[in-house]
Structures are given as C-alpha cells and as structure tokens.
Amino acid sequence: MRAATSPQLTDLRNPAGFLFRIARNLLVDEARRQKCRIRTVPLVENTDAPCCAEQEDRIEVEETTGRFETALAQLPEKTAGIFRMNRFEKKSYRQIHQELGIALPTVDYHMMKALAHLRTVFADRA
C-alpha cells in the first residue's frame, strides 16, 4: 500500500531496495509501538500472586506499634494528648491552642518534646 501510493514510484532505480526499505520502516514502526504498549498479565483466579513476606511485615508493624505506644505512654499526659490531637485527630496548632486554652508556643513546645522523644526511641532502629 505504501509503495503503490508513493510519489517516487515512477522514478525508482532500485525497486527491490525501495520495497525492502518500506518493509524495514514498517518493522521499526511496529517495534516502537510494541515498546510503548502497556503489557498486561491476565488475572487468573485461584493462583497466588507473588508478594512480599506478609507475616514478617505484620510482625514488624506489631512491634513498631508496640514501641510507639510505649513511647507515648512515657510522655507526660499533656504532651501525649497534644501529640495525639495533632497527629491522629489532624488538628492544627491553632485549633489545639484554642481548644485547650494554652499559648501557641506551649503547643509547639509539647510537640517538639514529643517528637524528640519519639526520635530518640526509634533512633536505634535506623
């Protein structure tokens, strides 16, 4: 089709070379399309997909959670409460300051204290 519609068709000196060049270009174009194409793997039910060691991950999460809870329990109640409000309840320092009726620098102080303590507890883990 490409050879038949080519404007150079009437002036060819080497028709075989012209056809080979068209064939080569078609192969290159197809290779580029294949390279860009997203390959999918059919999902076959009843087969286990390869995954990381779930049991090890679960154990590590449990240990880390335990260390985290222990570290929070070691903090003064007010500091731990402010940390929980900020990190778990997603409250801003300003919201905590208004809710507890304490100064913004006090909220900042308790957060810094909590973060420093957690950093110390988990430093040996890194």
Side-chain angles (χ1 to χ4, degrees):
M1 188 69 173
R2 286 192 184 186
T5 59
S6 174
Q8 301 170 353
L9 191 59
T10 56
D11 300 328
L12 291 178
R13 291 192 183 136
N14 183 0
F18 182 69
L19 290 175
F20 281 117
R21 175 54 79 176
I22 289 173
R24 181 184 178 284
N25 289 346
L26 287 170
L27 286 172
V28 169
D29 289 347
E30 180 61 24
R32 285 183 185 146
R33 275 193 290 281
Q34 290 295 327
K35 188 176 182 182
C36 293
R37 189 169 292 149
I38 296 174
R39 299 185 193 276
T40 59
V41 178
L43 179 63
V44 180
E45 293 184 34
N46 300 329
T47 59
D48 292 331
C51 62
C52 60
E54 292 177 25
Q55 188 175 18
E56 289 178 19
D57 290 346
R58 185 174 36 79
I59 291 170
E60 187 173 345
V61 166
E62 289 172 1
E63 288 175 357
T64 303
T65 303
R67 287 180 77 183
F68 180 75
E69 289 172 357
T70 302
L72 274 182
Q74 294 169 346
L75 289 170
E77 187 176 327
K78 189 171 192 172
T79 303
I82 290 172
F83 179 83
R84 283 189 185 95
M85 290 172 79
N86 179 255
R87 296 302 167 118
F88 298 140
E89 298 173 24
K90 305 295 184 197
K91 293 183 180 179
S92 69
Y93 284 19
R94 185 166 303 284
Q95 289 171 322
I96 296 168
H97 138 76
Q98 290 170 345
E99 191 173 314
L100 298 181
I102 58 176
L104 274 173
T106 305
V107 175
D108 187 47
Y109 166 79
H110 285 287
M111 283 301 296
M112 296 293 273
K113 188 174 177 182
L115 292 171
H117 178 67
L118 291 170
R119 198 173 300 117
T120 302
V121 168
F122 286 95
D124 62 57
R125 186 83 185 214

